[in-house]
Amino acid sequence: MTRHITLSRYLIEEQRIRERINADLRLLIEIVSRACIAISVAISKGGLGGVLGEAGSENIQGEAQKKLDVISNEILLEANEWGGHLAAMASEEMELPHAIPNRYPQGEYLLLFDPLDGSSNIDVNISVGTIFSVLRCPEGVDPTSPEAFLQPGTRQLAAGYTVYGPTTLLVLTVGDGVVAFTLDREHGTFVLTQENIRIPEETQEFAINMSNIRHWEPPVRRYVDELLAGKTGARGKDFNMRWVASMVADVHRIMTRGGIFMYPLDAKIMGRGGKLRLMYEANPMSFIVEQAGGAASTGRGRILDIAPVELHQRVPVILGSKNEVERVASYHRQA
Ligand code: P6P
């Protein structure tokens, strides 16, 4: 059983003992975690809080925003403006980066987030979550320009996600492995409940939206057909399928018991480069997955090595148990 260690104590020890983070980065993560608690509270009100349904607006992606998308985005912006630790913020919900108001000091970090991932599940009470990523602001670059954010995922200093489910969980890496915290609602604190999370290299569980099967590229079709053939086919064992349609929930299941998550290129989305966004979905999740011994690929290359060209660019995502991800990548090479 993990000792009773709060997020604050874990971060202080990462700073003081393991020297993985400094005071500003510790403050940043603490503030983001408190904003996520506020988001968890807002979500848990559901129909009682008048927060369900559409906001009546669209985000930069041209997607209809849910009220909670807007609320979650506002919570994260307001929580992070005054601390003096950030140079700017970028969000799935905003076309351009958000400047730190002049009345507050600026810091050296850039915060990127998907404030509420999986929000199409909100109105049907299925788990959703927040995904965040931390970069250092380059010297001499306007922090409010998208260019300041266009750094490969290998430059991330921290990444995390929350799952607002039966419990509210925070999964975090600062480049020193992966840990998980569970929200103690009575005390309003995140408590360490999993240390040194490792993704099993072998698995028998896969996650993909099967309704796209006719649009997949041949390597993906070959891989999934083999899984479906089970013990009668090339893999010689049966596989199980899960698809929550909330990346945070699907990825957290993989972090806990292994598996492979795929949102690959397909003919429908070929022109857009993929479905999931690189900077605040694929990169933070790939950092976390690799830190837990897993792998994260587009099928044609390591996600964390991608040199971004656009703040909201999309990429194919194949991540999870290393042996499975590498098998999919090998099928792409063979094709
Ligand atoms: P589909 C949620 O909208 C999201 O961005 C991810 O969280 C999720 O994995 C994916 O899209 C679901 O996409 O096409 O199955 O609805």
Side-chain angles (χ1 to χ4, degrees):
M1 176 61 192
T2 306
R3 301 152 291 154
H4 185 87
I5 294 180
T6 62
L7 174 64
S8 297
R9 178 172 167 188
Y10 173 81
L11 293 173
I12 285 168
E13 291 179 353
E14 284 299 296
Q15 176 188 348
R16 188 180 63 222
I17 301 170
R18 292 180 284 275
E19 298 182 346
R20 294 294 311 191
I21 60 177
N22 63 21
D24 266 0
L25 188 49
R26 173 164 62 82
L27 174 65
L28 192 170
I29 296 169
E30 293 224 60
I31 287 174
V32 169
S33 76
R34 285 201 285 274
C36 290
I37 293 174
I39 293 171
S40 175
V41 170
I43 286 172
S44 65
K45 290 189 168 66
L48 298 176
V51 293
L52 297 183
E54 307 291 325
S57 51
E58 277 191 355
N59 65 14
I60 165 64
Q61 330 284 343
E63 296 161 341
Q65 289 177 305
K66 299 284 189 183
K67 287 178 189 167
L68 279 166
D69 284 322
V70 177
I71 292 167
S72 303
N73 195 59
E74 285 304 316
I75 288 172
L76 280 159
L77 293 178
E78 286 161 17
N80 282 286
E81 280 184 333
W82 48 267
H85 52 284
L86 287 182
M89 292 180 254
S91 164
E92 178 191 69
E93 301 303 326
M94 304 182 302
E95 181 176 1
L96 296 172
H98 180 83
I100 300 300
N102 291 333
R103 62 185 178 281
Y104 299 126
Q106 288 202 6
E108 61 180 311
Y109 298 111
L110 298 172
L111 177 64
L112 303 91
F113 48 82
D114 178 357
L116 201 58
D117 176 65
S119 52
S120 60
N121 283 321
I122 277 278
D123 297 344
V124 293
N125 201 32
I126 290 175
S127 299
V128 292
T130 298
I131 308 171
F132 67 91
S133 169
V134 182
L135 295 168
R136 193 182 303 282
C137 188
E139 293 288 329
V141 177
D142 172 6
T144 64
S145 69
E147 286 67 29
F149 291 80
L150 300 182
Q151 303 175 42
T154 46
R155 299 259 186 84
Q156 292 175 96
L157 299 163
Y161 64 85
T162 55
V163 183
Y164 309 117
T167 64
T168 287
L169 293 177
L170 168 67
V171 176
L172 174 71
T173 186
V174 294
D176 185 23
V178 182
V179 288
F181 301 84
T182 301
L183 176 60
D184 173 349
R185 288 188 183 279
E186 287 175 64
H187 299 92
T189 56
F190 277 110
V191 179
L192 184 66
T193 44
Q194 275 181 282
E195 291 182 88
N196 191 27
I197 296 175
R198 304 296 293 170
I199 300 177
E201 294 190 358
E202 295 293 331
T203 184
Q204 59 287 326
E205 206 160 58
F206 70 100
I208 193 167
N209 182 336
M210 292 294 289
S211 70
N212 297 319
I213 190 166
R214 66 186 185 283
H215 304 299
W216 294 340
E217 296 183 291
V220 172
R221 182 65 191 263
R222 170 187 174 191
Y223 176 74
V224 174
D225 283 347
E226 287 178 353
L227 302 182
L228 296 176
K231 61 166 64 110
T232 66
R235 301 300 305 272
K237 67 177 184 178
D238 289 340
F239 286 78
N240 197 11
M241 196 208 94
R242 288 283 182 274
W243 187 252
V244 183
S246 280
M247 186 184 196
V248 289
D250 281 313
V251 170
H252 188 68
R253 185 189 57 253
I254 289 165
M255 295 296 295
T256 307
R257 64 186 193 212
I260 184 169
F261 170 94
M262 294 178 279
Y263 213 114
L265 265 189
D266 69 41
K268 263 192 328 182
I269 55 176
M270 190 67 76
R272 289 188 289 166
K275 158 91 182 204
L276 302 176
R277 289 84 172 182
L278 173 63
M279 298 305 296
Y280 39 77
E281 288 177 332
N283 268 346
M285 289 307 203
S286 299
F287 185 22
I288 292 165
V289 163
E290 286 199 4
Q291 281 287 311
S297 169
T298 62
R300 294 177 170 85
R302 185 186 180 215
I303 286 176
L304 291 182
D305 288 336
I306 296 173
V309 294
E310 199 274 321
L311 185 59
H312 298 287
Q313 79 181 68
R314 299 169 189 259
V315 290
V317 176
I318 298 160
L319 59 77
S321 294
K322 179 177 279 190
N323 294 347
E324 293 303 315
V325 174
E326 287 174 354
R327 177 184 287 265
V328 178
S330 70
Y331 290 1
H332 280 79
R333 286 192 295 274
Q334 290 167 32

